[in-house]
């Protein structure tokens, strides 16, 4: 019988199970198939079989299975560990009494064992244990508070027993309420659910405090009731409280009777009735209470020191308690004896713990003391700070010695380190002493200098120089260096006396100056009340200035006196100005004309019509120049007085021609005012009568027409134009390039010559002759000037707003006409502005009315170059290429010259949102040029 092996069959089954991992060609492919198989979550037995076969074939791939198996094993181990620690926690929580140390040790030991405390159920169990521990600790703290409260209540009872009987009876009710409240709170503590878990010492302490307080309270209440009975009945026994017993005896006159008997018969032995019994219950109770009071006072001190952790103080307090016990120990009750025993035991334990804690604190102080100096024994800080740190370290060492037993080894190290650091402090102190001595000598020399200066300037009247010298002395004293407080106090008093003596004459002079200024202030007030005289005011101000320059005062006082002096004078001048303004109530004809024109301009401004606003501005300008009155005089046939005077004095033909030339521009101006001014806004500004029956003809001088170079009118004889400066054609009379003789009509007298250098410079008027300027218009009043200026500003603002609004509406209409392909909706040439002529608008009309064609690619780019606006980022490369192309076309017109044709090309294309936005941005700039 042949036995066949099942291993090939097992391998085939495993290979099929793992998705071909055993028959994979490479190790990487085998690992990938194995990971895919592990994602299907096979059983642990299957993974063991695969690992057993694969570990002998490919250890690297088998490592993947090994890690997976280890994770599963670890997870099972953690689950078992978590269950084990969870059972322990449940047992502690369900136990009737929980030990805090066991609860804290559970968390520590579980973490050491590797239990998953951050996962359930251990996380919730940890929180529950922490809550129980916190509850137990809080309850223990409340027990300690109750103990202290019982001690305080006992002290209150003791203090009340030393008071008179009436006060004790008055405070009995409140004290009874407090005792009952304390007993209720203590009972509530014992009823808490975690009360069995508190430390075993706390229930006994609370019970001891309760019994002690109850005993003290019962003794106090019994003594108080006994005192009340003794007070009511003379045969009743006296209370055990000495204060109350003495008070009752005095009320019975027993004490006075005993003293009287002793005075009458000093040698007689007192009666046996007055001798106290040797030991009765009341006396025994008094001794017990006395012992309790004496022991409790020292016992409270011991417990307080133990609670605060003062080891040395608790040792001394324990020694004092033992000394008291020697006297009153046999009279104490059992509860107080147990309390004393516990306090002495706790003090002994604290003494040992305090020694260890004190050594730790001393070690820290030694480390700090050794760190005051560096490795090379140089101080790590300044001298003053080093001194302060040394003082603080020694004070801390003293406090540490008060709380525990001394440690001589650490003290030697600490003292050595402090002494080494103090050498640097001593060096710094020596340096400070030397500097202080130098500063003292400097101040002494300064005081001697002040004495010499005072003697030298005893007769000087230079008050300003003396004040400057005193100020310099004060600055030098303040900057003379540091001194000790004692030395500085001594020298400061001497310095003040010297400075006061040196400044005595200056102070007297300033006081006299203040009196003189006060007199001038009174004089100014009198002058303000009287009619104002400018010469007297100037003389008084000059006196004030002379006084201020002679004797200076401190700035604050001088400024205050000056303001008081100036106030009445300012008031007088203001009153005079107001009177002058009231006197000038009559306005001149020109001011009224300007004010009327300003009101007309405001009315035109309110209408919002640009043409009316411009016409009103022209009328206001004419009123300002006085041309409206001149135009009215010319329209009525009246010659200006200036022209009549010139005609009467000058008889030659040249002056007559000049007079005629002066009249011609005035007549033309009158006509311009009549044409441009609006009759509704500026009525009366120009010469315009309603319907004259017999109009008076205005003489218009015939202007002489002079043909110039370039005049191509038919039949015109070429005449030589008057030569201008440097051979250029002359401009209007008064231009910068015009000759001086052109204003007088003699244009040919200086042909080809630069003319004389003085008196005929070609400016508006000859330098030395102002008679040709004519009579200037009278100066405007303040009201008229402000009215015309504000009206002009408002009008210019309105024109700017209207222009911007009209520009935006024009662009909107243009874009809408392009979008709708409606040529009749295009704005007119006048609306488009001076930058667009009729031919350009016609080209735009044809482009909009025709069918949309393919847009020219470079038209928009040329427009953006002409308007100098940015191009979108996607077209920047095209714009740069076009700029390079235009650089090669030197004789071709640029974008700034052909932008109207480029707009026509854009309008001939289809309307698109991006194209319309770019075109609108371009036209905003181009149409404003």
């Amino acid at each position: 019988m042949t036995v066949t092996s099942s291993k090939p069959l097992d391998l085939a089954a495993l290979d099929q199970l793992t998705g071909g991992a055993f028959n994979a060609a490479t190790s990487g492919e085998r690992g990938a198939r194995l990971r895919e198989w592990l994602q299907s979550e096979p059983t642990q037995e299957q993974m063991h079989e695969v690992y057993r076969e694969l570990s002998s074939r490919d250890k690297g791939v088998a490592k993947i299975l090994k890690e997976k198996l280890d994770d599963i094993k670890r997870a099972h181990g953690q689950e078992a560990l978590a269950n084990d620690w969870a059972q322990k926690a449940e047992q502690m929580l369900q136990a009737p009494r929980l030990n805090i140390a066991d609860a804290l040790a559970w968390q520590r030991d579980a973490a050491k064992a590797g239990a998953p405390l951050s996962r359930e159920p251990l996380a919730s169990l940890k929180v529950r244990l922490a809550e129980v521990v916190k509850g137990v600790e809080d309850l223990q703290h409340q027990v300690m508070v109750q103990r202290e409260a019982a001690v305080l209540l006992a002290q209150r009872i003791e203090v009340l027993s030393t008071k008179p009987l009436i006060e004790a009876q008055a405070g009995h009710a409140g004290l009874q309420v407090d005792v009952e409240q304390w007993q209720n709170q203590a009972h509530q503590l014992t009823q808490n659910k975690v009360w069995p878990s508190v430390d075993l010492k706390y229930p006994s302490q609370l019970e001891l405090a309760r019994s002690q307080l109850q005993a003290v309270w019962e003794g106090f209440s019994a003594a108080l009731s006994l005192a009340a009975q003794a007070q009511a009945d003379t045969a009743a026994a006296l209370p055990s409280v000495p204060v109350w017993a003495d008070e009752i005896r005095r009320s019975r006159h027993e004490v006075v009777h005993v003293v009287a008997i002793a005075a009458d018969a000093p040698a007689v032995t007192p009666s046996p009735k007055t001798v106290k019994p040797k030991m009765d219950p009341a006396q025994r109770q008094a001794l017990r209470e006395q012992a309790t009071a004496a022991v409790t006072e020292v016992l409270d001190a011991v417990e307080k020191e133990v609670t605060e952790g003062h080891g040395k103080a608790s040792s001394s307090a324990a020694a004092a308690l033992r000394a008291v016990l020697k006297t009153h120990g046999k009279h104490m009750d059992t509860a107080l004896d147990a309390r004393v025993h516990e306090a002495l035991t706790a003090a002994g334990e604290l003494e040992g713990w305090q020694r260890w804690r004190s050594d730790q604190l001393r070690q820290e102080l030694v480390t700090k003391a050794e760190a005051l100096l560096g490795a090379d024994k140089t101080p790590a800080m300044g001298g003053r700070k080093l001194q302060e740190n040394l003082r603080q370290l020694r004070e801390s060492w003293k406090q540490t010695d008060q709380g525990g037993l001394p440690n001589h080894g650490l003290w030697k190290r600490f003292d050595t380190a402090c002494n080494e650091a103090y050498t640097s402090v001593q060096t710094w102190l020596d340096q400070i002493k030397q500097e202080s001595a130098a500063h003292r000598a400097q101040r002494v020399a300064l005081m001697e200098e002040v004495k010499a200066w005072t003697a030298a300037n005893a007769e000087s009247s230079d008050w300003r120089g003396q004040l400057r010298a005193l100020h310099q002395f004060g600055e030098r004293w303040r900057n003379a260096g540091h001194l000790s407080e004692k030395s500085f106090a001594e020298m400061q008093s001497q310095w003040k006396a010297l400075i006061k003596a040196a400044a005595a004459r200056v102070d007297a002079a300033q006081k006299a100056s203040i009196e003189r200024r006060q007199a001038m202030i009174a004089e100014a007030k009198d002058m303000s009340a009287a009619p104002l005289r400018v010469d007297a005011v100037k003389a008084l101000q000059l006196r004030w200035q002379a006084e201020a320059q002679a004797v200076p005062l401190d700035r604050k006082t001088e400024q205050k006196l000056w303001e008081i002096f100036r106030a009445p004078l300012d008031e007088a001048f203001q009153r005079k100005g107001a009177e002058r303004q009231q006197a000038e109530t009559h306005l001149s004809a020109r001011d009224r004309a300007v004010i009327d024109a300003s009101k007309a301009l405001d009315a035109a401004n309110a209408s919002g019509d640009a043409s009316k606003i411009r016409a009103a501005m022209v009328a206001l300008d004419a009123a300002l120049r006085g041309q409206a009155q001149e135009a009215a005089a010319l329209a009525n046939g009246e010659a200006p007085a200036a022209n009549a005077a010139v005609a009467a004095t000058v008889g030659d033909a040249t002056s007559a021609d000049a007079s005629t030339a002066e009249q011609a521009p005035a007549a033309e101006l009158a006509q311009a005012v009549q044409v441009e001014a609006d009759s509704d806004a500026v009525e009366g500004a120009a010469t315009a009568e309603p319907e004259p029956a017999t109009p008076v003809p205005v003489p218009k001088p015939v202007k002489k027409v002079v043909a110039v170079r370039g005049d191509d009118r038919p039949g015109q004889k070429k005449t030589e134009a008057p030569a201008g400066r440097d051979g250029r054609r002359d401009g209007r009379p008064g231009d910068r390039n015009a000759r001086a003789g052109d204003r007088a009509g003699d244009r040919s007298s200086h042909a080809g010559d630069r003319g004389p250098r003085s008196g005929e410079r070609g400016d508006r008027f000859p330098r030395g002759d102002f008679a040709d300027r004519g009579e200037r218009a009278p100066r405007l009043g303040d009201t008229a000037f402000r009215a015309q200026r504000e009206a002009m500003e408002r009008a210019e603002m309105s024109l700017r707003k209207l222009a911007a609004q009209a520009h935006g509406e024009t662009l909107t209409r243009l874009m809408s006409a392009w979008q709708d392909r409606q040529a009749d909706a295009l704005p007119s040439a006048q609306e488009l502005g001076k930058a667009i002529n009729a031919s350009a608008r016609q080209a735009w009309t044809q482009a909009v009315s025709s069918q949309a064609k393919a847009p020219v690619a470079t038209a928009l780019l040329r427009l953006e170059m002409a308007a100098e606006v940015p191009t979108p980022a996607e077209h920047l490369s095209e714009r740069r290429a076009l700029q390079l192309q235009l650089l090669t076309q030197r004789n071709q017109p640029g974008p700034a010259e052909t932008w109207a044709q480029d707009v026509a090309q854009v309008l001939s294309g289809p309307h698109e949102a991006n194209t319309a936005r770019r075109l609108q941005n371009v036209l905003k700039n181009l149409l404003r040029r």
Side-chain angles (χ1 to χ4, degrees), residues 593-916:
V594 171
I595 291 175
D596 294 339
S598 300
K599 293 180 179 178
L601 181 56
D602 289 336
N605 190 18
S607 65
D609 191 350
S611 60
K612 291 183 179 181
I613 295 175
R614 292 192 183 93
M617 291 175 69
V618 172
L620 178 56
D621 186 73
L624 286 172
R625 298 176 180 274
Q627 294 173 352
Q629 292 83 347
E630 186 178 358
L634 290 174
N636 294 329
E638 298 177 356
N643 294 338
V646 172
T649 55
V650 182
D652 57 345
T654 304
S655 300
D657 292 341
S659 177
T660 306
E662 291 290 340
Q663 293 177 4
E668 291 178 359
L669 181 59
Q671 292 179 0
V673 171
Q674 290 177 359
V675 172
E676 295 179 3
D678 191 357
S679 59
D680 296 334
V682 291
E683 182 177 359
T687 60
E689 296 181 1
E691 289 183 359
T694 57
V696 179
V698 179
K700 297 182 179 180
V702 180
K703 295 181 64 177
K704 184 178 180 180
V705 180
V706 179
V708 296
R709 186 167 47 237
D711 191 356
D712 56 350
R713 289 178 292 177
Q716 176 62 34
K717 183 180 179 179
K718 300 295 184 180
T719 59
E720 185 177 358
R725 188 173 62 185
D726 299 335
R728 292 179 293 181
R729 185 177 64 184
D730 287 334
R732 296 176 296 173
D735 284 351
R736 297 178 61 184
N737 297 331
R739 306 299 297 177
D742 296 344
R743 294 186 57 83
D746 189 5
R747 297 172 181 262
S748 61
S749 60
H750 303 288
D753 191 10
R754 297 181 65 182
R757 298 182 62 86
S758 63
E760 296 177 0
R761 295 178 57 87
D763 294 331
R764 294 183 61 189
F765 304 104
R767 177 177 293 273
D769 187 11
F770 292 93
D772 294 340
R773 296 176 64 180
E775 185 179 357
R776 297 179 64 182
R779 186 172 181 177
L780 287 176
D782 185 71
T783 305
F785 175 75
R786 293 181 183 275
Q788 63 86 19
R789 184 180 64 180
E790 294 174 359
M792 277 290 187
E793 291 177 355
R794 289 192 292 268
E796 291 174 358
M797 181 72 71
S798 298
L799 287 177
R800 286 195 294 269
K801 290 182 179 179
L802 290 173
Q805 182 179 1
H807 183 67
E809 293 176 355
T810 302
L811 285 179
T812 304
R813 289 173 55 193
L814 178 61
M815 295 294 107
S816 300
W818 178 31
Q819 183 178 6
D820 300 337
R821 312 300 296 185
Q822 294 181 0
D824 54 352
L826 282 175
S828 62
Q830 184 179 2
E831 294 175 344
L832 290 173
K834 63 181 181 179
I836 300 299
N837 51 23
S839 61
R841 185 185 181 281
Q842 184 63 27
W844 290 9
T845 304
Q846 293 177 2
V848 172
S849 60
S850 62
Q851 295 293 332
K853 299 181 296 183
V856 180
T858 60
L860 263 179
L861 297 176
R862 291 174 63 88
L863 286 173
E864 290 172 343
M865 292 167 60
E868 297 180 356
V869 297
T871 302
E874 59 269 17
H875 301 291
L876 275 179
S877 59
E878 300 174 4
R879 177 170 176 172
R880 292 169 182 167
L882 179 60
Q883 288 175 342
L884 293 176
Q885 184 179 357
L886 291 177
L887 289 176
T888 61
Q889 301 174 0
R890 296 184 179 179
N891 298 326
Q892 296 295 329
E897 301 174 0
T898 62
W899 66 270
Q901 293 83 350
D902 295 333
V903 172
Q905 291 180 4
V906 174
L907 294 177
S908 64
H911 180 277
E912 297 178 356
N914 294 333
T915 306

Side-chain angles (χ1 to χ4, degrees), residues 153 156-157 160-161 163-180 216-226 228 244:
L153 284 174
R156 285 179 58 189
I157 295 171
L160 196 60
S161 63
K163 301 294 181 180
L165 185 59
I166 298 176
E167 294 184 12
Q169 291 175 350
H172 179 266
L175 196 58
Q176 184 177 4
V177 173
D178 294 340
V179 171
E180 292 177 356
V216 173
W217 173 246
E218 289 177 357
F220 176 78
S221 300
L224 189 62
S225 59
L226 184 61
W244 300 346

